[in-house]
Amino acid sequence: MNDRKTALRMPYRILVITAAVVPVVLSTAVGSVLVNDAPVFPDNAGEWGKLCLGAALLVFAAFGLTFLGWLAGVLLRRPENEDGLRFLELLNRMGVVFKKPSRVIATLVALAVLAMIAWLVPDDGLEPGVLRIMSARDESGAANARGILVQQWNQAHPDNKVEFIGLGTEPDSQHARMVDDAREAGAHEADVYVLDVVYMPEFIGNGYIRPIDESRRSPKEKGDDFLDNVLNTCKDMSGTRDGLWALPWNTDAGLLYRRSEGRGPTSWNDYFPGSANVARLVNSESLTVTALEAIWAHDGEVVNRDGQLVLTPDKSAVDFDQDARDALKDLADAYRGKDPEDSVDSETAALQAFVSGRAGVMRNWPVAYEKLVKPVNRIPSLEVTQLPHESVLGGQNLAVSAWTRKPRAAQELIEFLTSPSSELILFEVGGFAPTRDYAYTYATRPYRDELRAAVVKARLRPVTPHYTDFSATFREGILYAINNKGRYPADFPRKLASVAAGGSPDN
């Protein structure tokens, strides 16, 4: 047997074995994560790259395990062949360079610190892959304002092109489809949701969306000029979670459209009973909006300015004060003799009644202006003003799915879509009510100041994770009141409080 010197001090042997074990363990862990996280059939180069890298790391780990067995045999007992002896001589020469085990330890610690620093340095790169937005119909119509923004994004981000997942036109089915995708056992098709403001508490409370990463927002975007009450809809207004959970894409507030002959109305009773809005009685979200605005116009307080229901002292029922009850009586008078319809779009029906001249005034959302200035509908003396009372605050927010595999790219997208320049395009081209002061300052639309004032003083609908059930129960009671001279069922206030808290109206 070769009698060359092969002694190796025990500290070195332990360090060598450790240094060999660590990359095998890391390769196994990282490789497993990459492979398990990859879809069954990757649909882009980035996902294929992750899958191949994960597979390569697992193959390396398999070979590494074989090497570890050989290494342990060489270091823990005297080698019996020439290869083992040469390997030990190499380690001895390295030991001479370092002289002391402590230097080896210091070197390994330094390498570990450098690796940790590299890990902690933020990665500004965006995950590649298609970004899918789940959205209801685009109200900008032929103007295609949202499409213009998406085209701009796609040109600047060819590795993160946007696709829309379209939903139906009925609000309740839109909501159900989004919830089905966002829940834990859902399909998780979407990276971004376009959420009506009333659905924010539900999606935050159930963990369907992730909070905005403020550390990734650019200094320009952090200097937010979002309108305060609009930005508040992106916060956890019914819970205790801090931060923003979305960014506001467009807001909404009711406007009064009228043929500008004579003096404008100064109260709800001045315009609503003879308006285009009473042409049809529709059992949809528009009735919730109509009833709340009627109550506020009469100084009633069923819902306060923070979006909280006004409850009786024992918290068991919603407190309909005398002003609210008077509002329901007036609402019943306005709709006298009409039966509710389920298959009619109330805003479209009102628009048709107004354009045809059957009514001289109409309450509608800002996007209605686009249809009224078309040559076929043009009304030469059209005037657009605020309502003579507070409006419901509407709008849509952009939120990142809790399940997306591209959270950095998704957040970058929603920041782009809600940027000052994007908000200006949405307003000027599509008629969407802007969420930023910048757009109101530089827009050329003649009613921009009236719209901004209407949005600033607009009020929230009830803030509850159970809004869909609340609105359906509320409309049920309002329809009963309309058909019974303003009198609602005795148990209606209790049902509303129960449903808003997550209970059954029958409890």
Side-chain angles (χ1 to χ4, degrees):
M1 176 63 62
N2 194 325
D3 59 357
R4 288 175 293 183
K5 183 177 180 181
T6 59
L8 186 67
R9 296 168 64 186
M10 185 55 68
Y12 287 114
R13 298 185 186 213
I14 295 173
L15 287 171
V16 169
I17 293 175
T18 302
V21 167
V22 169
V24 173
V25 172
L26 290 178
S27 298
T28 302
V30 175
S32 298
V33 170
L34 291 176
V35 170
N36 291 332
D37 193 48
V40 178
F41 298 105
D43 59 359
N44 59 67
E47 291 179 346
W48 273 111
K50 289 181 180 180
L51 179 60
C52 292
L53 176 60
L57 288 172
L58 290 177
V59 171
F60 170 80
F63 280 107
L65 287 173
T66 302
F67 172 75
L68 284 177
W70 177 82
L71 180 65
V74 170
L75 293 178
L76 299 180
R77 63 177 182 268
R78 184 179 179 83
E80 298 178 354
N81 55 52
E82 192 69 17
D83 289 339
L85 289 168
R86 280 198 294 268
F87 182 72
L88 281 181
E89 285 182 343
L90 175 62
L91 294 179
N92 275 318
R93 284 195 292 272
M94 292 177 61
V96 171
V97 173
F98 287 101
K99 293 184 179 179
K100 294 181 179 180
S102 59
R103 295 186 181 181
V104 179
I105 295 173
T107 301
L108 293 175
V109 169
L111 291 173
V113 170
L114 289 174
M116 185 63 69
I117 292 174
W119 178 269
L120 293 175
V121 171
D123 178 12
D124 292 330
L126 306 182
E127 311 91 340
V130 173
L131 292 170
R132 294 180 175 86
I133 301 177
M134 186 169 282
S135 172
R137 64 181 178 179
D138 185 352
E139 295 283 359
S140 58
N144 197 29
R146 289 180 172 178
I148 291 172
L149 297 183
V150 168
Q151 289 172 9
Q152 291 180 348
W153 168 269
N154 287 346
Q155 289 172 358
H157 302 84
D159 293 332
N160 291 113
K161 290 190 175 181
V162 169
E163 292 180 358
F164 278 95
I165 302 173
L167 304 176
T169 59
E170 203 279 316
D172 287 345
S173 65
Q174 294 167 5
H175 169 260
R177 176 72 176 83
M178 285 191 179
V179 169
D180 188 59
D181 185 78
R183 59 193 176 89
E184 186 172 359
H188 305 157
E189 294 180 75
D191 300 291
V192 172
Y193 296 109
V194 182
L195 293 175
D196 192 288
V197 294
V198 296
Y199 299 140
M200 288 297 299
E202 175 185 9
F203 274 65
I204 294 171
N206 291 332
Y208 295 158
I209 57 178
R210 65 175 64 214
I212 298 297
D213 183 353
E214 291 289 347
S215 68
R216 296 192 60 82
R217 297 186 71 193
S218 67
K220 178 181 177 182
E221 299 305 324
K222 283 190 174 181
D224 288 333
D225 64 338
F226 290 114
L227 301 180
D228 289 341
N229 63 332
V230 173
L231 189 62
N232 283 340
T233 66
C234 296
K235 299 177 181 179
D236 184 16
M237 300 186 70
S238 65
T240 60
R241 297 172 176 85
D242 294 329
L244 293 175
W245 291 79
L247 293 177
W249 201 9
N250 63 271
T251 186
D252 242 344
L255 293 174
L256 197 65
Y257 298 87
R258 71 184 190 95
R259 290 171 169 81
S260 55
E261 299 100 356
R263 185 176 67 89
T266 59
S267 70
W268 185 90
N269 283 311
D270 278 348
Y271 81 91
F272 191 85
S275 72
N277 304 87
V278 296
R280 299 284 180 84
L281 176 58
V282 179
N283 182 13
S284 68
E285 182 63 21
S286 62
L287 182 59
T288 297
V289 171
T290 296
L292 287 175
E293 289 184 352
I295 290 170
W296 295 336
H298 287 72
D299 295 323
E301 281 292 320
V302 172
V303 182
N304 68 23
R305 294 180 183 277
D306 294 326
Q308 303 304 309
L309 290 173
V310 178
L311 301 176
T312 55
D314 63 358
K315 310 295 183 184
S316 65
V318 173
D319 188 6
F320 281 80
D321 58 20
Q322 185 59 52
D323 291 327
R325 295 195 294 273
D326 289 343
L328 296 185
K329 291 176 184 177
D330 286 346
L331 198 62
D333 288 341
Y335 281 114
R336 183 179 299 151
K338 289 186 170 63
D339 294 323
E341 302 176 61
D342 292 326
S343 59
V344 176
D345 182 326
S346 62
E347 277 85 22
T348 299
L351 190 70
Q352 292 170 348
F354 182 63
V355 169
S356 68
R358 297 197 303 271
V361 65
M362 172 185 69
R363 183 267 186 221
N364 217 314
W365 302 105
V367 292
Y369 182 85
E370 299 306 299
K371 300 168 185 175
L372 292 173
V373 296
K374 288 181 178 180
V376 67
N377 295 331
R378 188 172 303 234
I379 300 173
S381 57
L382 179 68
E383 183 175 300
V384 184
T385 65
Q386 303 173 56
L387 298 172
H389 53 78
E390 293 161 316
S391 161
V392 161
L393 179 68
Q396 295 175 312
N397 298 333
L398 293 172
V400 177
S401 168
W403 311 101
T404 179
R405 293 173 178 169
K406 299 177 281 288
R408 296 193 301 275
Q411 179 168 322
E412 188 85 2
L413 170 63
I414 69 173
E415 288 194 47
F416 168 80
L417 294 176
T418 60
S419 67
S421 59
S422 294
E423 289 296 312
L424 183 58
I425 289 172
L426 287 171
F427 188 30
E428 288 284 77
V429 177
F432 290 101
T435 61
R436 290 180 179 268
D437 266 323
Y438 176 91
Y440 291 102
T441 301
Y442 294 101
T444 60
R445 287 183 175 261
Y447 58 93
R448 64 178 188 179
D449 294 333
E450 293 288 328
L451 175 57
R452 186 188 184 283
V455 170
V456 167
K457 71 178 185 180
R459 296 176 60 166
L460 295 165
R461 281 164 281 183
V463 176
T464 167
H466 314 286
Y467 181 80
T468 301
D469 292 336
F470 172 87
S471 183
T473 304
F474 183 71
R475 295 196 305 267
E476 179 184 330
I478 296 300
L479 286 172
Y480 183 97
I482 287 173
N483 290 317
N484 289 274
K485 299 181 179 181
R487 294 189 297 272
Y488 50 77
D491 62 346
F492 177 50
R494 182 193 56 77
K495 283 186 176 182
L496 281 181
S498 175
V499 170
S504 167
D506 299 325
N507 290 338

